[in-house]
Amino acid sequence: MKSVLITDDNEDIIELVELILSKFGCKLDKAGNGEAAVKYCQESPPDLVIMDLNMPDMDGFTAIDTIRNNGYTNCIIVLTASDSQVDKDRALELGVDAYIVKTMEMSDLESKVYRMLHFPAD
C-alpha cells in the first residue's frame, strides 16, 4: 500500500485532500507543520509528500530543504495558496516534483498523485 503524507496547517485542506485521495486506497498520514513533516519523513518515509508552504513553526521551504538534505528521494508536491513565480522557482530549486496552487481544479492534484504513485491505469 502506498503512503502519502499531507502537510498543512489548515484542517479543511487536509480533509479535502484526504477525500480526493481516498479513492486510491493509500495510507494517508498528516502533519500540521514542517517540523512534524521532517520528523515523519525521517522515521517512516512516505511514498509521496504533499506540502503547504506557509505554516507555523517551520515553513514548507525549510521543511522541503531539510527533507531532501536528509536523503528523501520520493516525490514531493507543493500544494499552496501562493501563485508567486518566485515561490514556485524556489520550490523547484529545492527539488519538488510538482507545484499546485490551491485555487486550481482539484483534478490537477488527483492526476499528479496518480502519476507519481504509479498506479496502474483504469
Side-chain angles (χ1 to χ4, degrees), residues 68-83:
R68 287 293 192 215
N69 284 329
N70 287 342
Y72 182 82
T73 59
N74 293 338
C75 294
I76 298 174
I77 296 174
V78 166
L79 181 62
T80 182
S82 174
D83 64 355

Side-chain angles (χ1 to χ4, degrees), residues 2-45:
K2 301 284 185 167
S3 61
V4 178
L5 175 64
I6 304 163
T7 306
D8 200 303
D9 60 326
N10 183 326
E11 189 61 37
D12 292 336
I13 294 294
I14 289 175
E15 289 177 14
L16 180 59
V17 172
E18 287 177 322
L19 179 66
I20 291 167
L21 300 185
S22 64
K23 70 163 106 183
F24 293 127
C26 302
K27 176 182 179 278
L28 300 173
D29 291 298
K30 54 188 171 182
N33 61 52
E35 287 180 7
V38 168
K39 182 177 179 183
Y40 186 93
C41 288
Q42 288 174 327
E43 294 174 358
S44 181

Side-chain angles (χ1 to χ4, degrees), residues 38-54:
V38 168
K39 182 177 179 183
Y40 186 93
C41 288
Q42 288 174 327
E43 294 174 358
S44 181
D47 295 298
L48 173 67
V49 173
I50 299 173
M51 178 77 67
D52 186 21
L53 294 179
N54 299 311

Side-chain angles (χ1 to χ4, degrees), residues 80-110:
T80 182
S82 174
D83 64 355
S84 160
Q85 187 63 46
V86 171
D87 285 350
K88 182 176 183 178
D89 291 344
R90 182 175 173 201
L92 292 171
E93 287 173 12
L94 291 172
V96 303
D97 299 280
Y99 188 98
I100 301 173
V101 179
K102 287 180 181 173
T103 58
M104 84 317 184
E105 295 289 327
M106 289 310 273
S107 62
D108 290 347
L109 176 63
E110 183 178 330

